[in-house]
Amino acid sequence: MNDLDLNTLLGPEDDEGSPRRRSRGAGKRGGGRRRRRRRNRGRFLAPMLAFIVLAGILGGGGYFAYTRINDALVPDDYTGAGSGEVVIEIKDGQSASDVAQELERQGVVASARAFTNAIANAKKSGSLQPGEYKLRKKMSAASAVEMLDHDKRLRDTFTIAEGLRLSQTLPQLAEKTGKPLEEFNAAAKDVESLDLPKYAKGKLEGYAFPATYEFQPNSTPKQILAAMVKRYNQTAEKYDIESGAKDLGFTPHELITIASIVQAEAGRQEDMAKIARVIYNRLKLPMNLAMDSTVMYALKKKGTYATFAETRNTKSRYNTYKYPGLPPGPIANPGDHAIEAALNPAKGPWLFFVATDPKSQVTEFATTETEHNALVAKCKANGGCGG
């Protein structure tokens, strides 16, 4: 841009100056132009310097903002599978964000955001399950997500057999879990926290359902027993025990008592429905149940056969040789098959049964006293029946 162009932009007053200036500088036109050029250069230089400074400030701020945004979008993360061992517990109700904070706190992942991003990318944000998991220090977030799969939870698995008394079940639980027997005994007495059915009459015997269980290593005896009662309640609902017992003319507690006797007396599953029928047939008659299993329960003894003296002298209400009707409650914890047999007894006139071959556990049935005596003789010949 030449001087003429600049003069045009600046306007007449700036171009010529005041009238006084014009008269004083009329003879020095060249000097006036040089002064105007210097003034014009100064006017453009200052804004240009300001622009450069402002651009520098904005550029620095932009870079800072970029790094902040980049850190948010690409959070710190470790690489690889990590090392060492860390046990992480996911508690009931915890979100993926809660777990992420705990993982960062314990040095498993580099940042909580890395984990939440990784679990979101894996579409597993809603799949975290309560439990304990074994992870490693300084592992990638993606590796941590893989190791928090519910199939990889730390857990103890054990089986409680059908037909065990509570006095046998609790020591087994203590042995299998490594937790003190005293704690199981105390938990068994705290029946209010176990959610027993009302008809259980505040007694756990018969309602600690035998099955295979899976527990977290930190589960308490109270939680374990509560889970066994819960399993019983699920079974009761499955078989509709309350309605079934009513149809048979008994209370649910009486039906579980019958099922427990069936469980204790039967050597084989296929005999259970017939044994249940013998019990019902005897209850209809003026005839005692006379079950050895109830006497042995009263005596807190193990074994199949009670002696004649034990059946005569045991004063407990569980002595069904001495007292008519059912004993006060279950004598063991029956399983599915025994409960089903009690609800659906076989049809038949039998009043007696004898395990005639203790080795094969074969049970035979009889209707008359004569037939029963013959079965007892057969049992003794095979080394059973106290023979």
Side-chain angles (χ1 to χ4, degrees):
M1 183 179 288
N2 55 36
D3 288 342
L4 179 61
D5 294 330
L6 287 172
N7 291 338
T8 303
L9 290 171
L10 289 172
E13 185 172 345
D14 286 337
D15 183 35
E16 298 297 332
S18 65
R20 184 181 302 172
R21 286 174 183 168
R22 282 199 300 270
S23 64
R24 197 165 38 222
K28 299 179 180 180
R29 295 179 62 87
R33 286 176 182 173
R34 283 194 295 272
R35 284 194 298 271
R36 285 199 299 271
R37 289 192 186 105
R38 284 196 294 270
R39 287 197 299 269
N40 291 337
R41 283 198 298 270
R43 289 180 178 180
F44 272 89
L45 184 59
M48 185 177 294
L49 289 173
F51 173 77
I52 291 171
V53 172
L54 179 61
I57 294 172
L58 291 176
Y63 176 76
F64 178 73
Y66 167 78
T67 56
R68 290 295 298 271
I69 294 171
N70 187 63
D71 287 344
L73 294 176
V74 186
D76 291 339
D77 195 3
Y78 296 123
T79 59
S83 61
E85 182 179 299
V86 182
V87 175
I88 296 292
E89 181 184 4
I90 298 179
K91 298 178 181 178
D92 192 25
Q94 280 191 316
S95 65
S97 296
D98 296 331
V99 175
Q101 294 293 334
E102 181 64 14
L103 293 175
E104 180 181 348
R105 188 184 71 80
Q106 296 207 34
V108 175
V109 298
S111 65
R113 179 61 64 84
F115 178 80
T116 55
N117 286 352
I119 199 168
N121 291 336
K123 298 181 180 180
K124 293 183 177 180
S125 298
S127 64
L128 293 175
Q129 298 292 322
E132 291 186 338
Y133 299 81
K134 188 180 293 185
L135 286 86
R136 292 183 284 272
K137 292 274 190 180
K138 295 185 178 181
M139 62 191 308
S140 70
S143 297
V145 170
E146 288 184 16
M147 295 188 72
L148 288 175
D149 187 284
H150 70 277
D151 288 333
K152 297 179 181 179
R153 288 176 297 172
L154 297 176
R155 51 202 167 186
D156 294 328
T157 301
F158 54 83
T159 300
I160 297 299
E162 300 171 338
L164 294 180
R165 302 170 189 166
L166 190 62
S167 61
Q168 297 169 305
T169 300
L170 298 182
Q172 282 203 15
L173 288 172
E175 180 181 352
K176 292 174 185 291
T177 64
K179 300 180 187 301
L181 176 59
E182 293 77 12
E183 292 185 13
F184 279 103
N185 287 331
K189 294 176 182 177
D190 185 13
V191 292
E192 291 185 2
S193 65
L194 299 180
D195 196 27
L196 282 166
K198 292 181 179 179
Y199 54 77
K201 300 182 178 181
K203 300 291 181 63
L204 183 57
E205 187 78 86
Y207 302 98
F209 196 78
T212 297
Y213 291 94
E214 184 179 282
F215 290 102
Q216 300 302 313
N218 63 349
S219 296
T220 65
K222 186 179 295 186
Q223 290 172 328
I224 292 172
L225 291 181
M228 297 177 78
V229 173
K230 181 178 179 180
R231 181 66 178 272
Y232 166 80
N233 289 330
Q234 292 171 342
T235 301
E237 184 176 353
K238 171 185 173 182
Y239 290 113
D240 195 6
I241 285 178
E242 294 194 36
S243 294
K246 185 177 180 180
D247 292 341
L248 291 165
F250 294 89
T251 67
H253 186 65
E254 289 172 334
L255 186 127
I256 294 301
T257 300
I258 293 170
S260 73
I261 297 173
V262 170
Q263 186 75 70
E265 293 283 350
R268 304 181 305 174
Q269 178 188 334
E270 54 261 43
D271 297 325
M272 287 184 172
K274 286 186 176 182
I275 292 174
R277 173 50 62 192
V278 170
I279 294 172
Y280 285 121
N281 287 345
R282 288 192 174 195
L283 289 173
K284 291 179 181 178
L285 300 173
M287 181 180 184
N288 289 353
L289 287 180
M291 299 288 169
D292 288 358
S293 59
T294 64
V295 178
M296 300 302 280
Y297 180 81
L299 295 171
K300 299 181 180 180
K301 293 176 64 176
K302 298 179 181 179
T304 304
Y305 308 106
T307 65
F308 178 75
E310 288 170 340
T311 62
R312 287 289 299 272
N313 300 327
T314 302
K315 297 180 179 180
S316 169
R317 286 285 305 171
Y318 283 89
N319 183 358
T320 53
Y321 279 87
K322 186 178 183 69
Y323 298 98
L326 289 168
I331 62 170
N333 294 298
D336 287 275
H337 299 307
I339 292 174
E340 196 169 6
L343 286 167
N344 301 284
K347 295 181 179 180
W350 314 290
L351 293 173
F352 306 93
F353 61 87
V354 179
T356 54
D357 188 351
K359 292 181 181 180
S360 65
Q361 296 186 320
V362 170
T363 298
E364 296 186 59
F365 297 82
T367 303
T368 66
E369 187 70 38
T370 301
E371 292 172 343
H372 173 248
N373 291 337
L375 293 179
V376 171
K378 185 176 181 179
C379 175
K380 289 182 177 181
N382 289 327
C385 294

